[in-house]
Amino acid sequence: AIKNVRSASQGGFFNEDFVVDNANTLLSNPKLAAKFDALAAAKKEKRTVRISYHNRVGEISERDIQPYAFVLSNNNWYVYANCLRDKALRLFKISRITHIILLDVRYQIPAYEKEWNLWDPTQKEKVRITLNVKEPARYDVEEWLGIENVTRSQDGRHYIAQGEVYDNETTLRKLAG
């Protein structure tokens, strides 16, 4: 179980195995931090919450969800939850939640008997990439692809980065950035 030493709005939590520093993603956005804290409190108490959720195409829905875990991916926080409307485990981007109401409906998180599928399985195809990288971008690419996958070119003027990445919109945004 996660032991909340500080709330999300205070910048982090830790247990004996890991530390999460939320300063960049939550402290700069008090409304996001408040939503995170409300969902974390609901998870701790194993209480269902009713949320208003705006999906990425602008559709708004009201859902009752049961928070299981939190995911930080590409500086975005998500809540992995059982969605009672869809009767399925879903990943909800916390910044897309506008309202949270704590309900008096309790739940139990099931045992980890199977691997949880956090992402859309259609996004799992990988492609091999090779990048020519100049010195200013070198460290960002090393963090992304791994330091062992970035080597200095033969002429010494740039770096060659190689790796496998998911063939999806997130990768395209990363490359464009």
Side-chain angles (χ1 to χ4, degrees):
I2 295 175
K3 297 177 185 175
N4 285 334
V5 173
R6 295 179 287 176
S7 69
S9 57
Q10 294 173 313
F13 352 41
F14 71 89
N15 74 9
E16 59 276 358
D17 297 322
F18 65 90
V19 174
V20 177
D21 178 5
N22 300 317
N24 291 334
T25 58
L26 292 175
L27 288 180
S28 63
N29 186 339
K31 290 182 180 180
L32 180 63
K35 289 186 273 188
F36 190 100
D37 285 342
L39 292 165
K43 181 198 177 295
K44 184 177 180 181
E45 296 175 19
K46 305 288 189 285
R47 288 180 63 184
T48 303
V49 292
R50 179 162 295 144
I51 62 170
S52 291
Y53 189 72
H54 297 239
N55 70 16
R56 64 178 154 196
V57 294
E59 298 167 340
I60 302 169
S61 61
E62 189 171 277
R63 300 157 179 264
D64 291 352
I65 65 168
Q66 299 168 328
Y68 283 12
F70 295 93
V71 177
L72 177 63
S73 178
N74 294 318
N75 281 334
N76 292 300
W77 276 105
Y78 299 83
V79 58
Y80 189 60
N82 179 30
C83 177
L84 299 179
R85 183 194 82 172
D86 295 347
K87 296 184 174 123
L89 295 173
R90 298 283 311 278
L91 202 60
F92 296 95
K93 192 172 189 177
I94 295 174
S95 63
R96 294 185 183 277
I97 297 172
T98 57
H99 296 86
I100 300 171
I101 300 169
L102 188 63
L103 302 177
D104 200 24
V105 177
R106 305 285 176 160
Y107 65 95
Q108 292 297 316
I109 297 175
Y112 292 81
E113 294 177 4
K114 65 178 188 137
E115 182 179 327
W116 285 356
N117 182 15
L118 295 176
W119 307 108
D120 180 352
T122 63
Q123 303 275 330
K124 295 290 185 186
E125 187 174 326
K126 286 190 170 186
V127 293
R128 183 133 185 93
I129 62 168
T130 301
L131 305 171
N132 288 318
V133 180
K134 296 201 183 269
E135 181 68 34
R138 171 185 167 199
Y139 300 107
D140 287 335
V141 172
E142 285 177 347
E143 280 190 27
W144 182 34
L145 297 176
I147 196 166
E148 66 280 355
N149 295 317
V150 179
T151 57
R152 188 178 289 277
S153 66
Q154 287 183 340
D155 64 12
R157 294 186 302 185
H158 62 278
Y159 294 85
I160 306 295
Q162 296 183 330
E164 285 192 3
V165 296
Y166 290 111
D167 184 9
N168 61 23
E169 192 175 308
T170 301
T171 298
L172 291 175
R173 281 195 304 268
K174 183 109 175 144
L175 289 169

